[in-house]
Amino acid sequence: MILHKTYDVNSVGHLTIGGIDSAELAKEFGTPSYFLDTDAVRDMCRMYKKAFAEYFGERSVPVYAGKALCYKGIYKLIAEEGLGADCVSPGELYTANAAGFPMDKVFFHGNNKTDADLELAISLGTGHIVVDGLDELSSLDRIAGEMGVKQHILLRITPGIDPHTHKKIVTGNVDSKFGMAIMTGQAFEFVKAALETKNLILDGFHCHVGSQIFDIEPFTEAADIMLAFVAKISAEYGYTAKMLNIGGGFGVRYTEDDPEIDYVKNIRDLGAEIDKMCALYGIEKPMILMEPGRSIVAAAGCTLYTCGTVKTVNGFRSYVSVDGGMPDNPRYTLYQSQYTILNASHADRTPDFECTIAGRCCESGDLLAEGISIAKPERGDIIATLVTGAYNYSMSSNYNRLPKPPIIEIACGEAKIAVKRETYEDIISHDI
Ligand code: LLP
């Protein structure tokens, strides 16, 4: 096993993904390609489902955050596993619906939903719209009225805490484009306004503190603040929240330096804190929801590239260039995210060649890693980046007019295409 159970090395020294030789996968499907071990994804879904039922209460379900990885096949899998879905754009709603996902189990988020987005969400029968601000609230009330629908909603509330993650992926602090803050008093006005609407049914509250969080404290802190809010609202307005959604954000191990995470223990501790707080405030425990994205799909995903030019700039460093880069994985360029990258053709050799892994774009910043060591590669070797299941395909682009790689699902030792590789024809298909 390398890092996660999806990855191993076989007797000929090749990396295996979900039990299949990476050299065979690269030969059959080409590179660059994304691979997803769906057995591992299902295991994560089942772990969350069981732990939520046990520690949050029987009615509690995990809600998969599709922004981490969104294509029709993943919604089919998530539906089979009985999870809900968090959609954050009309495109994600459309994809979920096209995959036959039960739309009543969808939570529709976004800090700037247009009227057209709201109409689409209502017409698709979206279970809950998570309203982000006052003007959205009044637009939604009007649109629901015009469409003759009583729409269930949650309100996005900002708890005002700092989860100590990368500053670009913090979402729950007071100065945020998301939600309405408790600290400024605006969250209370928000609830009052929601209770006065004619066509909206307020079911409770939502918050999200950030992403790639390893400690449980930011979650327990958020739950404490939100339950105190629920109690205050109940005392002041006589309104009892039925649901409390505390967002996503559980971390994932990208490299050996990241800590091992015991998700079940975290959920148990969080559940215990929630029970304690409900007892303290004397409130009935709402249905507790959480929206993990990254932790469901990241570890199960892997990207294979073919090594091209290997160049040493004397006195400086060595560059290993691959046939992908920032268009398929912009996370190093954006956040300096660290990955486990290896020479999949020689995964049994000592990784003693220090290098920078470069993409193929016409941009110096197009790098996947710097100062890492892999077994010395040569042109034609297969290079693998592990743990790319989340926020890679979903953040990919066609920069430099590179076609997007396919997604290959691996289940029970069989590999099949779930999203086709883009063609050059696809790339020009919208050009007039
Ligand atoms: N719910 C809400 C409201 C969110 O904003 C997010 C992530 C999630 C759930 C899922 O969080 P997760 O379990 O995946 O951490 N592109 C960045 C991550 C941005 C996450 C934004 N919100 C990255 O590549 O690290």
Side-chain angles (χ1 to χ4, degrees):
M1 182 179 108
I2 310 175
L3 211 59
H4 294 283
K5 63 184 175 196
T6 294
Y7 313 106
D8 215 335
V9 183
N10 64 15
S11 56
V12 290
H14 293 172
L15 171 76
T16 59
I17 306 166
I20 310 184
D21 189 317
S22 54
E24 281 170 30
L25 290 170
K27 196 166 165 218
E28 183 174 355
F29 299 104
T31 61
S33 291
Y34 300 109
F35 296 89
L36 188 73
D37 174 355
T38 53
D39 295 331
V41 175
R42 287 184 194 277
D43 284 350
M44 287 305 289
C45 293
R46 288 170 198 176
M47 178 281 292
Y48 271 124
K49 231 180 135 184
K50 187 161 175 281
F52 279 23
E54 201 163 339
Y55 300 116
F56 291 161
E58 263 174 30
R59 293 177 308 139
S60 172
V61 275
V63 176
Y64 169 67
K67 71 209 78 182
L69 178 64
C70 179
Y71 64 97
K72 277 165 62 180
I74 202 78
Y75 283 115
K76 288 185 188 147
L77 183 157
I78 293 295
E80 281 165 18
E81 294 299 327
L83 273 61
D86 147 4
C87 292
V88 79
S89 72
E92 288 188 6
L93 282 177
Y94 190 88
T95 308
N97 187 58
F101 194 85
M103 296 303 284
D104 58 327
K105 292 172 86 173
V106 167
F107 291 77
F108 181 37
H109 292 275
N111 67 301
N112 186 21
K113 306 178 196 75
T114 65
D115 286 5
D117 298 348
L118 296 171
E119 275 168 39
L120 177 73
I122 295 175
S123 67
L124 294 178
T126 302
H128 285 88
I129 297 180
V130 183
V131 182
D132 202 89
L134 283 170
D135 58 355
E136 182 187 322
L137 187 75
S138 52
S139 293
L140 182 61
D141 191 26
R142 174 182 49 78
I143 294 166
E146 284 163 8
M147 294 174 78
V149 168
K150 297 279 177 225
Q151 178 64 45
H152 288 264
I153 60 166
L154 298 183
L155 299 184
R156 172 111 183 209
I157 304 296
T158 343
I161 59 170
D162 174 8
H164 307 295
T165 185
H166 193 288
K167 70 175 185 312
K168 284 188 193 159
I169 54 178
V170 167
T171 52
N173 48 359
V174 178
D175 179 7
S176 166
K177 69 171 183 170
F178 299 105
M180 299 287 271
I182 297 177
M183 203 182 283
T184 61
Q186 285 162 297
F188 296 91
E189 292 162 31
F190 197 22
V191 178
K192 191 161 176 285
L195 291 171
E196 284 165 2
T197 57
K198 292 197 189 62
N199 306 299
L200 306 180
I201 302 163
L202 179 64
D203 281 339
F205 307 116
H206 171 277
C207 72
H208 173 81
V209 287
S211 196
Q212 185 61 352
I213 301 171
F214 288 103
D215 307 326
I216 195 64
E217 283 72 31
F219 296 105
T220 50
E221 215 182 312
D224 288 358
I225 295 170
M226 291 303 292
L227 288 166
F229 178 72
V230 167
K232 201 157 179 221
I233 291 293
S234 167
E236 280 185 24
Y237 302 135
Y239 167 78
T240 310
K242 290 208 287 277
M243 280 183 180
L244 177 61
N245 183 335
I246 38 185
F250 284 123
V252 165
R253 215 164 168 241
Y254 284 93
T255 71
E256 299 279 355
D257 294 337
D258 289 328
E260 302 256 9
I261 308 157
D262 187 340
Y263 296 101
V264 175
K265 180 184 176 300
N266 279 345
I267 293 161
R268 191 188 64 206
D269 291 352
L270 183 54
E273 178 73 12
I274 289 170
D275 290 344
K276 196 173 95 189
M277 286 298 138
C278 289
L280 181 74
Y281 296 124
I283 51 172
E284 199 182 312
K285 180 160 118 182
M287 176 181 177
I288 303 293
L289 300 167
M290 280 190 88
E291 297 163 341
R294 185 194 310 268
S295 52
I296 292 185
V297 289
C302 166
T303 310
L304 293 185
Y305 303 100
T306 301
C307 173
T309 301
V310 180
K311 186 189 288 177
T312 299
V313 184
N314 290 338
F316 292 88
R317 56 169 139 177
S318 297
Y319 286 92
V320 171
S321 292
V322 296
D323 55 353
M326 63 187 282
D328 62 81
N329 183 0
R331 297 191 70 255
Y332 183 77
T333 309
L334 270 177
Y335 320 118
Q336 292 74 53
S337 301
Q338 302 300 309
Y339 280 96
T340 299
I341 300 185
L342 48 97
N343 183 343
S345 304
H346 301 291
D348 55 344
R349 291 193 191 157
T350 313
D352 54 6
F353 182 68
E354 194 180 312
C355 58
T356 286
I357 310 290
R360 64 179 299 183
C361 287
C362 189
E363 172 143 345
S364 313
D366 171 24
L367 304 175
L368 295 173
E370 290 175 277
I372 62 157
S373 292
I374 64 173
K376 189 161 193 237
E378 52 187 49
R379 200 176 178 87
D381 280 356
I382 301 303
I383 307 291
T385 307
L386 310 188
V387 195
T388 58
Y391 302 113
N392 272 233
Y393 175 72
S394 65
M395 292 175 73
S396 63
S397 75
N398 291 116
Y399 186 44
N400 285 184
R401 289 238 137 170
L402 289 169
K404 289 187 186 175
I407 299 178
I408 317 297
E409 291 183 347
I410 298 177
C412 306
E414 299 277 320
K416 70 167 190 352
I417 298 173
V419 176
K420 289 189 281 188
R421 182 184 300 284
E422 280 184 353
T423 61
Y424 298 121
E425 231 358 87
D426 291 332
I427 300 243
I428 60 163
S429 63
H430 289 264
D431 298 5
I432 305 294

